[in-house]
Amino acid sequence: MNRNDLRRVDMNLLVLFEALMIERNLTRVGEKLFITQPTVSAALARLRELFDDPLLIRNGRAMEPTPRAMQIFAELGPAMDVISAAISRAREFDPASSCNVFRLGLSDDAEFGLFPALLQALREEAPNLSVVVRRANFLLMPGLLASGEISVGVSYTTDLPATAKRRKLRDIGVRVLRADDRPGPLTLDEYCARPHVMVSFSGDMSGNIDLDLARIGRCRKVVLAVPQFGSLRALLRNTELIATVPDYAACALADDGSLRADPAPFDITEAELSMVWSGAQDNDPAERWLRERILQFMAAR
């Protein structure tokens, strides 16, 4: 196909194809793109004609991509990123008048402890924007970035797509949350003897804290694992339960005075909270503005 032939191609079809490959469900694609399911079905028929391939084959409730669809998706993604970035760089970003939709990936600790202040600042400066938050952690972040489902994420991170960029925001220190009013911080013996609540997105009953305890020959008893931080205040109140959480989440949970946030009675290996983003969005004016605000309100100050 030469450049003149490209005039026959509807760019909207390519955007829809990308969404179909990510969602693999006609209804979800319609909801994501704010179009009806019959419109999605009609567009899929046009895509099949364009590429001379079934592209997606129904398998129960899911739709499975053909090998040709996977090949097209792999080639199309980088091209769409380049086009999007080129168009974005061609226009200035005015927060006061922007109706942009920003898509963020946030770990639960960042969402609970740091996001509220960021959101308030964004709403004050850009009252017409919208924000979609996806739950992310070090396992989910690479896929969310690679698929374009988010443009920027905040979490502890490890492996990332080769085109992604990263910037450290802060060290993740920890505090021990407790609801009792006994004076003084917990000793190591008290810490190990008390029942623990652990925030675990994956449902694990042990984590890095347990590795640090094992290094000094100690252990703790985790009696409850919950998937998010928001319930900790109610769970700990009037109990002997304690929870070891990132310091910024602990501050948010203890701000009403019902919980105490003490230092841990042993050395804990610190991790890093990082901001990561797609390299294709590096020079986008709106995304640069968003990343600057994340630095301002989520980095250590």
Side-chain angles (χ1 to χ4, degrees):
M1 177 179 284
N2 60 40
R3 296 297 175 88
N4 285 335
D5 289 332
L6 284 175
R7 291 180 300 172
R8 297 189 298 109
V9 179
D10 182 352
M11 181 64 71
N12 291 319
L13 284 179
L14 302 184
V15 173
L16 192 138
F17 171 75
E18 190 174 46
L20 280 167
M21 290 297 291
I22 293 169
E23 300 293 342
R24 302 184 186 183
N25 181 284
L26 299 184
T27 301
R28 288 201 298 269
V29 168
E31 292 171 350
K32 184 175 183 178
L33 300 181
F34 303 102
I35 57 179
T36 64
Q37 183 173 331
T39 301
V40 178
S41 298
L44 177 56
R46 294 174 62 194
L47 283 164
R48 286 168 169 162
E49 179 181 357
L50 175 66
F51 292 114
D52 192 22
D53 187 88
L55 298 178
L56 290 150
I57 299 172
R58 187 167 296 282
N59 182 8
R61 293 187 176 181
M63 300 192 76
E64 298 296 332
T66 65
R68 174 67 176 136
M70 295 298 293
Q71 179 186 5
I72 295 169
F73 185 52
E75 295 173 349
L76 183 64
M80 295 286 281
D81 286 341
V82 171
I83 293 170
S84 177
I87 293 173
S88 296
R89 284 194 295 270
R91 65 178 189 271
E92 295 182 356
F93 177 70
D94 176 24
S97 61
S98 171
C99 295
N100 277 35
V101 178
F102 290 116
R103 298 184 181 276
L104 313 182
L106 299 178
S107 56
D108 187 58
D109 54 307
E111 180 184 349
F112 185 83
L114 300 173
F115 181 60
L118 170 65
L119 180 61
Q120 181 177 350
L122 296 181
R123 295 291 301 159
E124 289 175 356
E125 193 171 350
N128 299 312
L129 64 75
S130 301
V131 180
V132 176
V133 175
R134 296 290 299 271
R135 180 61 48 80
N137 59 17
F138 72 98
L139 294 173
L140 298 176
M141 191 71 77
L144 291 170
L145 282 173
S147 67
E149 293 176 79
I150 63 171
S151 62
V152 60
V154 176
S155 176
Y156 163 76
T157 57
T158 52
D159 297 328
L160 292 171
T163 58
K165 295 181 178 291
R166 178 196 334 238
R167 177 161 179 172
K168 176 183 174 180
L169 294 176
R170 63 201 299 153
D171 291 319
I172 304 177
V174 302
R175 290 291 184 270
V176 180
L177 288 173
R178 49 192 285 212
D180 65 88
D181 58 2
R182 293 190 292 277
L186 293 174
T187 66
L188 180 57
D189 286 340
E190 290 170 332
Y191 180 89
C192 293
R194 294 273 288 266
H196 289 251
V197 181
M198 179 176 172
V199 179
S200 171
F201 181 70
S202 61
D204 294 332
M205 297 288 282
S206 64
N208 291 335
I209 297 296
D210 301 279
L211 296 177
D212 288 327
L213 283 170
R215 291 188 187 100
I216 58 174
R218 305 299 293 265
C219 63
R220 62 176 178 167
K221 175 66 173 177
V222 176
V223 301
L224 175 64
V226 294
Q228 54 194 21
F229 288 84
S231 61
L232 283 180
R233 185 183 288 124
L235 293 172
L236 267 58
R237 189 179 291 125
N238 300 319
T239 75
E240 288 292 293
L241 293 167
I242 59 176
T244 309
V245 303
D247 48 10
Y248 43 87
C251 289
L253 284 160
D255 64 357
D256 70 343
S258 63
L259 299 178
R260 296 163 54 183
D262 294 338
F266 60 99
D267 291 333
I268 293 177
T269 303
E270 288 190 338
E272 292 183 357
L273 188 74
S274 297
M275 175 174 64
V276 296
W277 65 96
S278 167
Q281 305 281 357
D282 197 35
N283 292 316
D284 181 283
E287 293 291 333
R288 281 204 310 268
W289 174 82
L290 175 62
R291 293 195 301 270
E292 288 168 0
R293 298 303 175 273
I294 290 174
L295 279 169
Q296 183 179 357
F297 288 94
M298 288 191 165
R301 288 179 287 175

mmCIF file of all heavy atoms in Angstrom, residues 40 117 249 253:
data_model
loop_
_atom_site.group_PDB
_atom_site.id
_atom_site.type_symbol
_atom_site.label_atom_id
_atom_site.label_comp_id
_atom_site.label_asym_id
_atom_site.label_seq_id
_atom_site.Cartn_x
_atom_site.Cartn_y
_atom_site.Cartn_z
ATOM 1 N N VAL A 40 -19.514 -1.251 16.921
ATOM 2 C CA VAL A 40 -18.266 -2.011 17.058
ATOM 3 C C VAL A 40 -18.280 -3.209 16.110
ATOM 4 O O VAL A 40 -17.280 -3.492 15.438
ATOM 5 C CB VAL A 40 -18.060 -2.470 18.516
ATOM 6 C CG1 VAL A 40 -16.781 -3.310 18.639
ATOM 7 C CG2 VAL A 40 -17.987 -1.279 19.454
ATOM 8 N N ALA A 117 -4.361 14.501 47.339
ATOM 9 C CA ALA A 117 -3.786 15.851 47.212
ATOM 10 C C ALA A 117 -3.508 16.184 45.753
ATOM 11 O O ALA A 117 -3.715 17.322 45.315
ATOM 12 C CB ALA A 117 -2.498 15.944 48.029
ATOM 13 N N ALA A 249 0.854 6.242 53.459
ATOM 14 C CA ALA A 249 -0.468 5.651 53.689
ATOM 15 C C ALA A 249 -0.800 5.680 55.177
ATOM 16 O O ALA A 249 -1.948 5.912 55.569
ATOM 17 C CB ALA A 249 -0.521 4.223 53.154
ATOM 18 N N LEU A 253 -4.085 7.305 57.158
ATOM 19 C CA LEU A 253 -4.947 6.485 58.003
ATOM 20 C C LEU A 253 -5.004 6.994 59.440
ATOM 21 O O LEU A 253 -6.004 6.784 60.133
ATOM 22 C CB LEU A 253 -4.440 5.040 57.991
ATOM 23 C CG LEU A 253 -4.766 4.254 56.719
ATOM 24 C CD1 LEU A 253 -3.842 3.049 56.584
ATOM 25 C CD2 LEU A 253 -6.223 3.806 56.730
#
